[in-house]
Amino acid sequence: MKNINVGELRWNVVDQGVGQPLLLIHGFPLDHTMWQFQIEDLSRDFRIIAPDLRGFGASDSNDAPMSMADFADDLARLLTALDVDSPVNICGLSMGGYIAWEFWHRHPQRLSRLILCDTRAAADNTETQNTRRSTAERVLRDGTDFLARMMIPKLFDQETLAQKSALVEATRQVLLGTNPVAIAAALNGMAEREDATDWLPEIRIPALLLCGVSDSITPAEEMQQIAETMSDSQYVTIPQAGHMAPLENPRACNRALRDFLGA
Ligand code: MLT
């Protein structure tokens, strides 16, 4: 792990391996540890950069509202601070995917290939926005316990929940330990995010879309449709996995990533 200053904040980031940079953007409300199996395997062939986003994990928070665009700009600044000036491969899961769309939109010259895991392109409807806003208020008032109870069963496939209890428990602990202020900021940021659907036909760089077969948060069919709308994309379904496909079935995910990235 590295601690690196980006602007006024101190960031916690894994910077491991040599080769083409591969930036891994974690989902909500987690941290870089959700990429543990990708870091371990892919750092043999790539320079893996896996930060804790602002306010998450061990990175500082300045308690400011955060849009997906703010997170994308943070990552561009982080790459500069790490002396990465050539275009990078970006892989984002769920909220990390929302940030990856914004990164493409705002910093296209810094991006060479895009990997989207268990995410969507469409913005929230009004009902989802309202739920996010009330969840943000509740987490500030009551803390993270209720959110862990609500989210953990939805993040994983039934088989993962039954058979990989250490992994599920580690994820629960990350969620429970996340700063409620950062959680609320990200919930409000997701509620306000741009709809990336119209951007899809304009994305001409190669893209890989992965989705766990039993993902109940982001249905696999929706990701397949996103892939069909993009000009240079591949779609892969990950078996024995729900929303946390890279953590639940790292073998299948890493194989798809390696095939796509040519390693
Ligand atoms: C995530 O895994 O990042 C979240 O499920 C994203 C969301 O709530 O839309």
Side-chain angles (χ1 to χ4, degrees):
M1 293 305 304
K2 255 185 195 168
N3 279 301
I4 181 158
N5 284 334
V6 183
E8 78 284 15
L9 299 179
R10 202 142 180 81
W11 279 58
N12 191 47
V13 54
V14 170
D15 182 4
Q16 190 174 314
V18 286
Q20 293 173 50
L22 172 58
L23 173 64
L24 303 175
I25 316 175
H26 64 76
F28 168 87
L30 303 174
D31 67 9
H32 75 278
T33 56
M34 60 144 288
W35 299 113
Q36 57 191 274
F37 301 119
Q38 286 66 48
I39 295 168
E40 187 184 297
D41 175 16
L42 300 173
S43 64
R44 289 188 276 129
D45 295 293
F46 297 93
R47 178 176 177 188
I48 300 292
I49 299 170
D52 292 341
L53 293 169
R54 180 193 290 237
F56 290 85
S59 287
D60 280 354
S61 165
N62 62 356
D63 297 350
M66 288 300 291
S67 66
M68 299 300 106
D70 292 330
F71 282 124
D73 291 352
D74 265 357
L75 292 172
R77 279 192 290 271
L78 173 69
L79 291 174
T80 302
L82 291 171
D83 291 325
V84 178
D85 40 30
S86 56
V88 297
N89 303 297
I90 284 195
C91 174
L93 180 130
S94 202
M95 182 179 80
Y98 310 154
I99 298 168
W101 299 128
E102 277 291 350
F103 194 96
W104 170 83
H105 192 55
R106 300 169 72 81
H107 306 283
Q109 74 290 351
R110 302 198 74 161
L111 186 57
S112 65
R113 280 174 291 194
L114 200 46
I115 302 157
L116 286 320
C117 306
D118 303 84
T119 193
R120 46 182 18 144
D124 286 351
N125 60 28
T126 308
E127 190 189 338
T128 307
Q129 286 179 320
N130 290 339
T131 306
R132 288 204 202 272
R133 290 183 186 121
S134 56
T135 307
E137 282 169 21
R138 185 165 170 202
V139 88
L140 289 172
R141 195 181 58 233
D142 298 344
T144 51
D145 287 26
F146 83 95
L147 193 64
R149 279 196 304 278
M150 198 167 88
M151 280 193 76
I152 292 292
K154 292 192 197 156
L155 288 180
F156 297 102
D157 176 67
Q158 289 306 321
E159 209 176 300
T160 310
L161 288 168
Q163 291 175 10
K164 297 188 177 169
S165 51
L167 197 136
V168 173
E169 186 51 28
T171 305
R172 188 197 320 277
Q173 290 307 322
V174 171
L175 200 164
L176 286 171
T178 301
N179 176 359
V181 175
I183 293 181
L187 281 165
N188 290 322
M190 287 193 281
E192 297 298 326
R193 74 185 188 280
E194 292 269 332
D195 193 323
T197 312
D198 288 345
W199 302 347
L200 300 177
E202 293 169 37
I203 301 178
R204 309 218 189 279
I205 54 171
L208 170 67
L209 289 94
L210 304 178
C211 193
V213 67
S214 56
D215 188 337
S216 61
I217 298 178
T218 311
E221 305 77 57
E222 192 172 323
M223 286 211 75
Q224 201 159 359
Q225 277 164 17
I226 296 175
E228 283 162 14
T229 316
M230 296 171 81
S231 63
D232 185 3
S233 64
Q234 302 167 35
Y235 170 76
V236 177
T237 302
I238 303 299
Q240 293 160 322
H243 190 60
M244 299 302 297
L247 194 54
E248 299 182 74
N249 191 342
R251 254 178 96 152
C253 283
N254 293 357
R255 194 178 318 116
L257 284 163
R258 283 180 173 282
D259 287 349
F260 176 68
L261 295 169

